[in-house]
Amino acid sequence: MDVPPEQRGNGSVKVTPSRWRRVVLKLSGEALASAASDETIDAATVDRLAKEIAASCAEFGTEMAVVVGGGNIWRGTIGAGEGMDRATSDTMGMLGTVINALALQDAIERAGQPTRVLSAVQMAQVCEPYIRRRALRHLERGRVVILAAGMGSPYFTTDTPAALRAAEIDAEVIMKGTHSGVDGVYSADPRLEPEAVRYEEIGFMDVIAQDLRIMDLTAVTFCRDNQIPILVFDLMQPGNIRAALAGDRIGTLIS
Ligand code: UDP
């Protein structure tokens, strides 16, 4: 099933050039859930995302690492707020990301795209450990790499490992898919202030100075320091993963 990059685009499969050669797609756990059906992992939602990831990667030949969150299952702050040990509660959150990673893997592979799950917390019976050079090898071989368990350390969310892994694997951009209906970075929360305007592009310093909380500050600061642009876009709009890979002007580019 694995198709090396040099062979992608030959034969009957035609590869359209993408703006981006290698990307990190950050998916929140809640993007896999469904408010309507009250499901923690909604099969139809996961399938829709998986098909779009598989089709877009095949069309453009883009190498993709997906960093998946776990907020649909557990967040460390929930337990900590109720008196749990924070590190234990965060570890539960990291395990939630592994559950989501397996759900995504299953759906993306059913859509015909080879994948590998690499976890920052070792679980040999379930998936591979995260090893940078192994991740690079999988990407070069055309596999979508799904990065689970965040950094493997408590006190982080998955935004920061998305930024860290992007730097490690030399990704050109982080694509931060939103699921809240907000399709980019706005001057204020558009759900509260209808006059808020969406920026097509904005600088890291403005995001930080204006405290525009589209991504964890640690991640934004890391991306600024390492010059990794972040594309914020509405993940739930069908066709947007493809549009993001194509380099269409959607969402907001932070650079
Ligand atoms: N988490 C962690 N270390 C990490 C990444 C995640 O401890 O490097 C824990 C943390 O408790 C977090 C939870 O896993 O609340 C789920 O991740 P996140 O909140 O980023 O999920 P998302 O909001 O993207 O669904």
Side-chain angles (χ1 to χ4, degrees), residues 26 28-30 69-71 74-76 90 93-94 150-158 161:
K26 164 69 210 295
S28 283
E30 276 161 4
W74 188 258
R75 285 181 201 282
D90 276 336
M94 285 189 268
M151 310 259 269
S153 302
Y155 293 94
F156 288 99
T157 73
T158 47

